[in-house]
Amino acid sequence: MTTPGRNSPCPCGSGKRYKDCHGSIFSPGGPLPRADEQTQRQLDAALAAQQAGRLAEAIALYEAVIADHPDTFDALHMLGVTHYQRGDFERARGLVASALGLSPFDRAARHNLQLLDSVLERRSVERDICRETLPRLAPRCIAPVARADDLRWRDTTLDLIVSRSDALDRPAILERLAGWLEAAALTVWLYPGMTQPVFATWPVRLIDPEAGTIPDRRQAVFVGADRSPAEWYARAGATDVALFCDDEAPCLLLDRIPELAREGRMPLRLLFGSAAHAQRIGLPGIVIAGAATPA
């Protein structure tokens, strides 16, 4: 992305001139010296990555600025906005509140903090409703709990479909799950816009329904419930499907479980990363942490 002119509108959409917004690095004592070109380049690159949807890259760049300049208002605020875009509202609120501690009268930050408070309040109510509703899905959509060994696809090939936006930031999750599954061969599938990682042993493919490039194996494991597969799932050949729903919010599962279970026509197996999370969700499944035992 080309850096805009100093008097051009800031590309973040604030309505301010670039020099009064992201063209300036804010701290409690006012803008940092323009001579700090490295920090300015980091902020410019972070904003470009954020606008392009490369949120993990943007987060890393904002965090690098904060590591060197902890009191940088703009980095704290925009890092909070980035986490908001990813749906991590609790972390977003903490960052925006920290930014406001540096610049208490910034209108954009005050507005964003009010927005986050409203979202968190609404999410709390939604969680309570979804937690009460989730158990009703079990008889229709959830496969009966079997022995853990019955769910491992030894000597088979399967598709691992990454539907959780931040799963690629924590590759250990995928490695632990893949190790537990013990499949003979595994392909990792990503949705458009996700940064493609390089794995030593697994091929990585992008889902492209228009080109007919979709997961087509009989066994499929979805990692996370963030993304809906509605655009291509009806054409997929999967008949043995599991959902690894570690740390997922109840409301996401309320949407995704019926969809992956084809509205109850195909039993769906649930996998959990810990017994504590399985207990919070309240649905039958298998815990893969340690010696896997039915939840």
Side-chain angles (χ1 to χ4, degrees), residues 192-261:
M194 288 183 168
T195 302
Q196 292 195 48
V198 177
F199 296 115
T201 56
W202 311 326
V204 178
R205 302 187 69 182
L206 278 179
I207 297 172
D208 185 354
E210 291 187 4
T213 308
I214 61 175
D216 56 2
R217 288 171 171 157
R218 188 175 71 84
Q219 291 90 3
V221 177
F222 286 79
V223 181
D226 289 3
R227 304 285 290 265
S228 169
E231 189 177 2
W232 57 269
Y233 196 51
R235 291 181 278 155
T239 57
D240 188 2
V241 179
L243 170 61
F244 180 59
C245 47
D246 191 34
D247 293 332
E248 292 296 346
C251 291
L252 283 177
L253 297 178
L254 194 61
D255 289 336
R256 206 63 62 230
I257 286 174
E259 186 174 35
L260 295 181

Side-chain angles (χ1 to χ4, degrees), residues 6 8 52 56 67 78 115 140 146 161 164 213 226-227 231 245 249 253 255 258 271 280:
R6 298 277 289 146
S8 300
M78 294 308 292
L115 177 65
R140 184 164 59 95
I161 302 156
R164 180 172 174 176
T213 308
D226 289 3
R227 304 285 290 265
E231 189 177 2
C245 47
L253 297 178
D255 289 336
L271 308 177
R280 286 196 299 272

Side-chain angles (χ1 to χ4, degrees), residues 113-273:
L113 188 64
Q114 291 172 354
L115 177 65
L116 283 162
D117 283 340
S118 176
V119 168
L120 288 170
E121 182 179 0
R122 187 168 62 250
R123 285 287 292 271
S124 177
V125 174
E126 289 174 351
R127 284 195 193 101
D128 291 340
I129 295 173
C130 293
R131 198 169 283 115
E132 292 178 4
T133 307
L134 263 178
R136 301 177 190 176
L137 295 176
R140 184 164 59 95
C141 298
I142 309 302
V145 175
R147 293 186 308 112
D149 285 347
D150 293 339
L151 290 181
R152 302 192 191 196
W153 285 284
R154 292 188 180 95
D155 302 323
T156 63
T157 58
L158 66 89
D159 291 320
L160 195 65
I161 302 156
V162 180
S163 300
R164 180 172 174 176
S165 56
D166 65 346
L168 297 175
D169 298 340
R170 299 186 290 168
I173 291 177
L174 298 182
E175 293 170 2
R176 181 161 63 100
L177 178 60
W180 183 85
L181 291 168
E182 297 183 345
L186 181 153
T187 299
V188 176
W189 290 84
L190 308 178
Y191 284 86
M194 288 183 168
T195 302
Q196 292 195 48
V198 177
F199 296 115
T201 56
W202 311 326
V204 178
R205 302 187 69 182
L206 278 179
I207 297 172
D208 185 354
E210 291 187 4
T213 308
I214 61 175
D216 56 2
R217 288 171 171 157
R218 188 175 71 84
Q219 291 90 3
V221 177
F222 286 79
V223 181
D226 289 3
R227 304 285 290 265
S228 169
E231 189 177 2
W232 57 269
Y233 196 51
R235 291 181 278 155
T239 57
D240 188 2
V241 179
L243 170 61
F244 180 59
C245 47
D246 191 34
D247 293 332
E248 292 296 346
C251 291
L252 283 177
L253 297 178
L254 194 61
D255 289 336
R256 206 63 62 230
I257 286 174
E259 186 174 35
L260 295 181
R262 303 186 194 277
E263 298 299 331
R265 296 191 301 276
M266 182 179 70
L268 174 71
R269 306 178 190 275
L270 295 186
L271 308 177
F272 297 100

